[in-house]
Amino acid sequence: MSKFHSNISRRDFMKGLGLTGAGMSLAAAGGPLFHDLDELAAGADTHHYRKWWQKERDFEDLTTPIDWDMFRPYDTRKLYMLPLSLVKRQADERNARHVRDVADNTPGGTLRDIALDEATYDNFNMQHLGWQGNIRTASPADRGLPAWQGAPEDNLQMMRAAAHFYGAPRVGAIEVNEHTKRLFDLGTTIWEDIPAAYIDAAGVYHIPSRCRWILTWLTKQNYPQSLYALRTDDTGPDRNKTFELGQASRNASYSHAPQIRWNVTGFLHGLGYLALQPEVRANVPFGLFSGLAEQGRTAYCCSPDYGLSIRYVDWAITDLPLQPTRPIDAGVTEFCKSCKRCAEICPPGALSLDDDTSWEVAGQWNRGGFKGFHQHWQKCAEWGGPHDCSNCQMTCPFNHPPDASIHNMVRAASAVTPALNGFFAGMDRAFGYGRQKSDAEREDWWQRDLSKWPYDELKGFGVKDW
Ligand code: SF4
Ligand code: SF4
């Protein structure tokens, strides 16, 4: 493209900036010279932390000059506070605008748009999220509006779009029936013909029978950061225990989860529906039954996209009709049969090294009733997992980000045929993935080039600022 914005050539633009040719202008004096626009654009990240065209000035020499004879500490008594009458009038006007936009079906102002926005309010109260989810979001009834109406498949897509924005990369749905009710803990949750949900004195959750769907979503864990947790050195008193530098990633996921939950459940409430979360010990089946993952050798969810680097399958029972999503076969469980990396690296031997899945449980703590992998939870817990050990989680070949195309090729090949699974797992070992970082690498983390590091979750940006 030799022209952009229709009438300026790329060369003219460069000339105008004085950024091409030796010593063409003062503009070039403080920065690098570029031969063309592509080089100029690529040069944005050549300087650490700040772009090359962002120059530093002296301390206190702002581009808005200061007069220190005039500049005083701020007098908060002079802060302009909107009169309450005006606050109320603006709120009334906003509400009227919402009602009109919903009635007119104005794109960007429909009930789902309003709910998307309002579910982000009041995160201050997030830590007090109860089992009925974020009910602080205004419901349509509060505005005299009907609840959101959509076909189940459209509702699923809507939930995927909203949850992705809030931070959950994958969303699924399970239909409640006599089988899937068994995913809940024994004697804790019953469905019945009642208008409103409640919890009784014995702690039993009563769910209105119209709540016939379980929405599920993934909370991701930052894998590149988690790798800093690995301690595979099996000597000394701290043998095989975790490094906190990486463990911070696990704990960050636990702090992300309530925020995403606050947003997603608030969104459902803003649409006019329930979002209930009775206490449940195991979240894994929700991921498996809704197709967010397969069961890995570790006995927990292994995502074909993110491997074991997911912290949590979150979920809410709802009366919003949802198109159920099917369990998946991406070759993960099959791959596990020949991989065994997580089991080999488990210090107390809590994971099965068998060549196949089994109906036999590893202990009374296992649910049973399925042919899969069963974890010896007692051994894991007594070793200190998951607080002081995350070796199994960090060695899974499915964890790899798709930085190198080979990782997605391996994923695709494994889904089509198990013939190469053993070879792929061996390759993962040979390339040294899932190894303990060196002392120098852990130290260097604090000096990493932030202009290039793509792995931090920057709120509002994704993984890298612009
Ligand atoms: S977290 Fe538990 S299962 Fe995983 S490697 Fe450590 S001890 Fe083994
Ligand atoms: S490390 Fe290997 S065996 Fe373990 S869950 Fe991942 S793919 Fe399966």
Side-chain angles (χ1 to χ4, degrees):
M1 188 176 64
S2 63
K3 301 254 185 184
F4 69 104
H5 288 199
S6 74
N7 54 5
I8 309 178
S9 77
R10 294 163 69 101
R11 178 149 186 80
D12 287 345
F13 182 73
M14 295 287 290
K15 270 174 143 180
L17 291 175
L19 292 172
T20 184
M24 278 193 67
S25 81
L26 283 176
L33 285 171
F34 298 104
H35 296 97
D36 57 39
L37 274 182
D38 296 326
E39 213 177 81
L40 185 147
D45 285 338
T46 52
H47 283 45
H48 188 65
Y49 206 65
R50 191 174 277 129
K51 312 285 191 265
W52 61 262
W53 59 81
Q54 298 169 6
K55 301 182 190 71
E56 289 189 359
R57 296 161 68 96
D58 279 346
F59 292 109
E60 300 178 9
D61 180 22
L62 283 58
T63 51
T64 46
I66 309 288
D67 178 345
W68 289 109
D69 291 331
M70 302 274 291
F71 195 94
R72 298 268 182 270
Y74 184 69
D75 183 349
T76 54
R77 291 168 301 178
K78 295 180 180 171
L79 179 66
Y80 172 72
M81 297 293 289
L82 214 54
L84 281 179
S85 58
L86 194 48
V87 171
K88 183 175 180 323
R89 199 179 86 202
Q90 289 180 350
D92 290 345
E93 287 172 357
R94 190 178 311 124
N95 198 39
R97 186 176 74 241
H98 287 161
V99 171
R100 277 195 304 278
D101 278 346
V102 171
D104 296 345
N105 209 17
T106 308
T110 65
L111 187 61
R112 66 180 174 184
D113 300 296
I114 296 166
L116 183 81
D117 171 34
E118 293 191 349
T120 62
Y121 289 10
D122 213 7
N123 281 0
F124 175 73
N125 285 297
M126 178 174 94
Q127 55 270 51
H128 306 299
L129 190 63
W131 78 280
Q132 303 220 26
N134 170 9
I135 50 176
R136 295 178 74 91
T137 307
S139 74
D142 295 336
R143 297 192 167 94
L145 292 168
W148 174 262
Q149 299 298 322
E153 56 272 27
D154 295 334
N155 289 342
L156 176 68
Q157 173 54 30
M158 172 176 67
M159 294 309 303
R160 283 178 165 164
H164 195 274
F165 167 66
Y166 294 137
R170 294 284 184 274
V171 162
I174 302 167
E175 187 157 20
V176 174
N177 60 33
E178 290 312 310
H179 285 158
T180 55
K181 283 179 184 172
R182 294 184 208 170
L183 304 185
F184 295 86
D185 294 348
L186 184 66
T188 60
T189 311
I190 55 175
W191 273 255
E192 54 194 358
D193 288 328
I194 47 174
Y198 70 97
I199 179 168
D200 68 23
V204 176
Y205 298 93
H206 295 255
I207 313 290
S209 51
R210 68 178 188 280
C211 294
R212 290 176 32 225
W213 297 272
I214 305 165
L215 179 77
T216 64
W217 64 92
L218 280 186
T219 301
K220 180 80 177 73
Q221 179 169 332
N222 182 329
Y223 167 64
Q225 186 67 27
S226 302
L227 273 180
Y228 288 87
L230 255 184
R231 195 190 308 232
T232 51
D233 178 356
D234 62 1
T235 57
D238 296 321
R239 67 187 189 93
N240 281 312
K241 295 294 168 85
T242 191
F243 286 107
E244 273 61 37
L245 176 60
Q247 207 58 343
S249 170
R250 182 191 80 115
N251 297 324
S253 307
Y254 278 127
S255 62
H256 295 164
Q259 181 172 354
I260 299 171
R261 195 178 307 142
W262 174 266
N263 296 152
V264 170
T265 58
F267 180 61
L268 280 167
H269 192 246
L271 296 169
Y273 294 92
L274 297 176
L276 309 173
Q277 197 175 61
E279 197 178 345
V280 168
R281 289 290 149 200
N283 64 81
V284 174
F286 295 120
L288 305 183
F289 277 78
S290 62
L292 300 187
E294 293 179 58
Q295 196 213 26
R297 184 175 286 272
T298 49
Y300 47 85
C301 281
C302 186
S303 154
D305 300 307
Y306 312 118
L308 300 176
S309 189
I310 49 180
R311 177 44 40 197
Y312 203 77
V313 175
D314 218 332
W315 54 277
I317 302 167
T318 183
D319 47 349
L320 175 73
L322 292 168
Q323 174 75 43
T325 51
R326 298 171 193 274
I328 54 167
D329 179 358
V332 175
T333 306
E334 197 59 36
F335 188 92
C336 290
K337 291 178 184 175
S338 48
C339 171
K340 305 184 182 179
R341 294 215 65 196
C342 52
E344 288 165 355
I345 207 165
C346 173
L351 303 177
S352 159
L353 279 161
D354 293 346
D355 291 335
D356 201 354
T357 52
S358 172
W359 292 96
E360 295 293 321
V361 297
Q364 63 164 8
W365 49 81
N366 292 141
R367 178 192 294 265
F370 67 95
K371 184 170 183 282
F373 294 107
H374 305 280
Q375 190 213 40
H376 199 294
W377 168 241
Q378 186 178 349
K379 287 184 182 174
C380 173
E382 288 178 356
W383 176 256
H387 299 285
D388 300 312
C389 176
S390 55
N391 280 0
C392 55
Q393 192 189 6
M394 288 307 105
T395 44
C396 181
F398 284 98
N399 288 351
H400 301 311
D403 292 350
S405 57
I406 183 70
H407 295 140
N408 272 345
M409 282 164 53
V410 170
R411 282 180 167 93
S414 300
V416 176
T417 170
L420 292 171
N421 284 353
F423 170 71
F424 288 147
M427 241 172 63
D428 214 71
R429 284 183 191 87
F431 277 106
Y433 291 118
R435 65 164 177 81
Q436 178 176 325
K437 301 267 191 197
S438 67
D439 287 353
E441 285 173 307
R442 290 195 303 278
E443 194 61 33
D444 284 351
W445 182 89
W446 292 99
Q447 312 300 334
R448 67 200 190 286
D449 182 349
L450 300 181
S451 72
K452 294 194 172 62
W453 187 257
Y455 303 121
D456 292 341
E457 293 131 52
L458 300 178
K459 306 289 180 273
F461 286 94
V463 290
K464 191 174 179 310
D465 64 317
W466 52 71

